[in-house]
Amino acid sequence: MPPTMPLLRSIARIPSRQTPLPVLDFLAPRTIAIPHRQISPPSSSLSSRHHSTASTTTNSTNNTNPNSTPSPAPKYPSMRSPLTPEQSSFLDSALRVNQAGELAAVLIYASQTPPLIRAHPNLRPLMKHMYDQEAGHFQYFNALIAKHRVRPTAMYPVWHAAASVLGWGTAVMGREAAMACTEAVETEIGSHYNEQVRVLLDWAEKMEGRGEEVSAEFKGMVGELRRIRDEELEHLDHAVENDAKGARPYELLTNVIRGGCRTAIWITERV
Amino acid sequence: MAPIRLSKSVFGTLRVKPNHTLPIRQRCLYHSYEHDQPPPFPEAESSILSAAMRHVPDHGFTNAALKFGARDAGYLDVSTNLLPRGVFDLINYHLVTQRLALKDSVQFPTEGQVEGKAMGVGAKVRALTLARLRANGPIIHRWQEALAIMAQPTYAPASVAELARLADEIWFLAADTSVDSSWYTKRASLSALYAASDVFMTQDTSKDFIETEQFFDARLKDVSRMGSFMGAVGEWVGYTGHSAVNVLRSKGVRI
Ligand SMILES: [Fe+2]
Ligand SMILES: [Fe+2]
């Protein structure tokens, strides 16, 4: 086993496992109830757009009492200082990359599945499980970028084709190659999500330092990013359990795929 | 002595937020709901330009309008020199403020309130676009000269960028949530449609710009016909590819 993997793991898990900072208490992925419906497509009612966002937020904290009617939240609940241009451009690129990455993941699994389960019918539940999780991630980021007006990547059709070819190509090479593909992709994606979590935590800390309450928008995003990151790392585990390391030529295959992922991320951040 | 101090203070207020940061703040980036949105224009600039807009019907998009605007807002005539793009800044102010006004000027009934079918995205896009066109009504006799300035090579990129922001605003307000390649085709076709109607409107003498509305509807029909054609092509390619794969699989090819 190459040394990069356990290393990545330890980096990956530091923020969640060893967090002495008080700011981070909201970050344990599954302890806070992030309503999955929180990210709703822009409401068709223009006048109530801000209001509806506000009341969803309020409800998510109040939902212990099912009878509580939506409290008359102020129209603009405690507005915070504007995001800096660097912050909004970071979020812009990061969310665009996330959406493109999840699009690719969905397509990789979708095109891997038929050739793979024909040869190995026992893999059907695993492939379905991973596909379903990726479809959930893709849906989450689709809704998120529509809500926050982030432009999708202009390379959409290109990534669409590339991911389908990659999935199909590795699957016909055999089970080990398909799993090596998953391992390589998840390694890149996992570290990409970690980087985003780290940056958002850093901002949250600074906001608290200024005496501002961290926005529900950010809290929700960090929680979801960590959940998704954990699921990606779970896929990585499954891939290794299914002999990803047995792929031939392992080094070449994983290096090419990881290089391709990094290039795709670089391009998507920009266009 | 006083005038010099005044001009200095104007200089100061305009310098605090230098104008070249504007394009960055106005670029469509991550849109937050819980963080303040910075105002589109610094205060001094905003007061001069909004006052100048009131002189546009009489004086057009000219330095004269800017000068009168500065006077109305309590600044020296010379303070208009501090607007780096001069008259184009006035045109840009009109474009930006009218774009941002759309979200309040066009209200759609909420889904629960209305009986029958809720308004579709297409109908909303049409309503928003027509509302934006109509907002040029009061200055339409001055709009051709503005278009000529916007088309100058120095300002054309900024004008096109602002047009793209308008198209983005309209699709957003119409609650369109598509985030695939159609994101681009939708914005591009709406931009083209808007630009054509905008030019048409400068020559429209009909009552209530009814001819512009008809022109817009006819172009909209063209675009949607083309759009469904393109969509059909995409579907056909996908379908054919899919069935080709299935046929090969049924023949025992292991793909
Ligand atoms: Fe994923
Ligand atoms: Fe994954």
Side-chain angles (χ1 to χ4, degrees), chain A:
Chain A
M1 187 185 262
T4 50
M5 249 248 323
L7 182 65
L8 168 74
R9 275 329 164 65
S10 57
I11 296 167
R13 304 243 151 114
I14 283 170
S16 52
R17 302 281 148 86
Q18 305 165 11
T19 50
L21 296 161
V23 211
L24 308 182
D25 55 353
F26 60 80
L27 295 166
R30 292 190 176 80
T31 54
I32 52 165
I34 302 142
H36 280 254
R37 293 287 86 214
Q38 190 176 12
I39 308 301
S40 53
S43 115
S44 61
S45 145
L46 298 180
S47 55
S48 69
R49 176 169 292 112
H50 287 283
H51 187 76
S52 65
T53 318
S55 48
T56 330
T57 319
T58 320
N59 289 348
S60 70
T61 50
N62 286 349
N63 58 9
T64 43
N65 176 8
N67 293 330
S68 70
T69 47
S71 51
K75 199 165 184 188
Y76 298 99
S78 66
M79 283 308 243
R80 296 155 183 91
S81 53
L83 297 175
T84 64
E86 293 75 29
Q87 285 178 323
S88 70
S89 101
F90 174 86
L91 287 170
D92 186 65
S93 318
L95 297 181
R96 178 163 45 254
V97 169
N98 295 355
Q99 187 223 13
E102 298 299 346
L103 166 77
V106 168
L107 290 168
I108 288 173
Y109 287 120
S111 46
Q112 272 183 346
T113 302
L116 204 57
I117 63 175
R118 192 161 340 100
H120 306 276
N122 60 313
L123 288 180
R124 183 191 293 271
L126 174 64
M127 293 305 286
K128 180 167 169 18
H129 171 69
M130 296 201 292
Y131 173 87
D132 288 346
Q133 287 188 330
E134 298 300 359
H137 303 169
F138 185 45
Q139 233 176 346
Y140 171 72
F141 286 116
N142 280 343
L144 197 65
I145 74 171
K147 180 182 172 190
H148 293 292
R149 308 182 68 165
V150 171
R151 171 175 66 80
T153 171
M155 300 292 275
Y156 202 95
V158 176
W159 302 149
H160 198 290
S164 306
V165 168
L166 176 64
W168 180 80
T170 49
V172 293
M173 285 171 71
R175 180 177 68 109
E176 293 83 1
M179 292 298 162
C181 169
T182 299
E183 189 204 322
V185 172
E186 302 295 7
T187 306
E188 286 305 321
I189 295 211
S191 60
H192 188 69
Y193 283 137
N194 266 327
E195 167 68 12
Q196 290 175 23
V197 170
R198 197 186 56 73
V199 170
L200 283 171
L201 287 182
D202 186 47
W203 294 354
E205 200 182 328
K206 293 207 174 98
M207 281 164 82
E208 299 228 323
R210 286 197 304 264
E212 288 177 19
E213 195 205 340
V214 179
S215 58
E217 211 168 277
F218 278 9
K219 287 182 190 176
M221 216 182 290
V222 172
E224 286 296 279
L225 284 175
R226 305 188 108 182
R227 183 182 63 79
I228 291 172
R229 192 262 331 268
D230 288 347
E231 290 182 1
E232 308 298 8
L233 294 176
E234 182 201 316
H235 299 171
L236 201 153
D237 287 338
H238 290 313
V240 174
E241 281 158 20
N242 280 282
D243 303 324
K245 307 287 174 197
R248 292 284 167 272
Y250 175 80
E251 292 294 335
L252 178 67
L253 195 61
T254 48
N255 283 335
V256 167
I257 295 173
R258 289 180 58 174
C261 287
R262 280 196 294 269
T263 310
I265 288 174
W266 187 86
I267 294 172
T268 307
E269 277 171 350
R270 287 154 182 84
V271 297

